Amino acid sequence: MTARDARTASRTQERNRSQPTESLALKPSLAVALLAGALAVQACTSLPSVAIDIALAGAGIIALRHPRLRWAAAFAIGFAWCAWRAGNALDARLPVALEGRDLDVVGVVDELPLTRGDATSATVRIERAWLDGTDIGLHGRVRIAWYSAPPDALAACSRWHLRIRAKRPRGLVNPGGFDAERSALEHGIVATGYVRDDGPNVREGESSFCIDALRETLAREIGRRVSDPHDAALVRAFAIGDTRGLDDDDWQVARINGVPHLIAISGFHVGVAAAFGALLVRLFGFLFPRW
């Protein structure tokens, strides 16, 4: 081997050793580029077509092989992915042509129903929907109100065949106000409406597994064991995230004390900690039965 060959081999080995370090150093910048691409979608007044999304993603994947183009490639991939997901979410909403029409749906009650005054409101996760016997391919969650139903008609995790009249989610556009349409998009709500009295509106069983059924059972048992209704409502809110019994004054007190997040988050954490503690006690009893 000549001296020139030896120098070439040495440079090659050094370059190969430095490549993992270079790739690792680029990872944070690639993450920033992906995020920047996703954020750029928020500035668009209209979304690009699916063909453009595919072209951008394909070009980005190819460009990732070139070190100098990796940042732009990550940006393109982030933009294409976010735009594609946003387009799917918007397309999942109830078609405008079906607004105000009576639709038959079969779905499972999602989350905990709320009864106030003469109406029971709930969110139904649609499994099948049709109009005049023709499947309309509507999937997602629908927020409904049932005005003539008894208070316990809708139970969490129950499956129903309902006839509803619905529309796309809409909200006011007042500056600084609550954006109901954006909230519906975030929670997968594809339509809002009410149950028609002339429909079948029959219960068709239960979902195979649904955590909200357990939450509803726990809420009912807490109400039975805590005599004061207001105290029971607070226990349900902090233990299982059931805020149906809280009024405006309760939320105001929570905001003043800076603890609204405890109601939304810590209920689940309390449940996990309680389950883990129960398992530890059972394990201790198994290992030391005399105790």
Side-chain angles (χ1 to χ4, degrees):
M1 178 183 294
T2 64
R4 181 178 180 181
D5 292 338
R7 288 194 299 270
T8 301
S10 177
R11 285 196 297 268
T12 302
Q13 292 177 358
E14 185 177 354
R15 185 166 56 250
N16 291 336
R17 287 194 301 267
S18 65
Q19 280 181 352
T21 305
E22 180 184 1
S23 176
L24 183 63
L26 286 174
K27 285 184 178 180
S29 63
L30 291 180
V32 172
L34 282 170
L35 178 60
L39 292 176
V41 178
Q42 317 305 317
C44 296
T45 57
S46 62
L47 294 174
S49 64
V50 177
I52 295 178
D53 295 336
I54 295 175
L56 280 175
I61 293 173
I62 295 174
L64 280 175
R65 302 179 61 182
H66 303 279
R68 294 183 179 181
L69 299 177
R70 284 177 181 173
W71 199 93
F75 181 91
I77 293 173
F79 183 93
W81 173 257
C82 186
W84 177 69
R85 291 286 296 171
N88 286 345
L90 292 175
D91 293 340
R93 295 181 300 177
L94 180 72
V96 177
L98 297 180
E99 290 188 322
R101 306 287 298 275
D102 290 344
L103 310 175
D104 284 284
V105 301
V106 172
V108 176
V109 177
D110 209 6
E111 299 182 352
L112 301 178
L114 173 63
T115 300
R116 285 183 178 175
D118 61 345
T120 299
S121 60
T123 302
V124 176
R125 187 175 67 255
I126 296 179
E127 297 176 341
R128 187 162 56 96
W130 63 94
L131 172 65
D132 299 331
T134 302
D135 191 287
I136 59 175
L138 182 66
H139 298 282
R141 306 169 74 208
V142 176
R143 187 177 291 126
I144 61 169
W146 195 345
Y147 291 98
S148 61
D152 57 349
L154 291 174
C157 304
S158 58
R159 179 176 284 103
W160 286 80
H161 177 190
L162 302 172
R163 180 164 296 160
I164 65 173
R165 182 170 293 181
K167 63 180 180 179
R168 285 189 171 195
R170 291 187 177 89
L172 302 176
V173 292
N174 296 332
F178 176 70
D179 192 338
E181 189 172 351
R182 184 179 68 178
S183 176
L185 192 66
E186 292 173 349
H187 292 88
I189 304 296
V190 299
T192 61
Y194 62 94
V195 178
R196 297 282 292 169
D197 294 334
D198 57 355
N201 303 335
V202 293
R203 186 167 178 166
E204 295 189 345
E206 306 287 334
S207 176
S208 57
F209 174 76
C210 182
I211 193 64
D212 288 318
L214 176 60
R215 293 178 64 211
E216 195 164 56
T217 300
L218 291 174
R220 185 167 53 250
E221 293 302 318
I222 291 173
R224 289 177 53 189
R225 287 167 169 75
V226 181
S227 57
D228 186 271
H230 185 257
D231 292 345
L234 291 176
V235 173
R236 288 195 298 266
F238 283 102
I240 58 175
D242 180 5
T243 61
R244 295 177 295 179
L246 302 183
D247 54 25
D248 293 338
D249 292 337
D250 294 324
W251 286 111
Q252 180 67 16
V253 171
R255 284 191 291 269
I256 291 175
N257 289 277
V259 295
H261 64 285
L262 296 180
I263 298 174
I265 300 174
S266 292
F268 176 74
H269 294 168
V270 169
V272 171
F276 184 69
L279 289 176
L280 286 179
V281 171
R282 293 193 64 179
L283 178 62
F284 185 83
F286 175 77
L287 296 176
F288 307 98
R290 293 185 179 181
W291 288 53

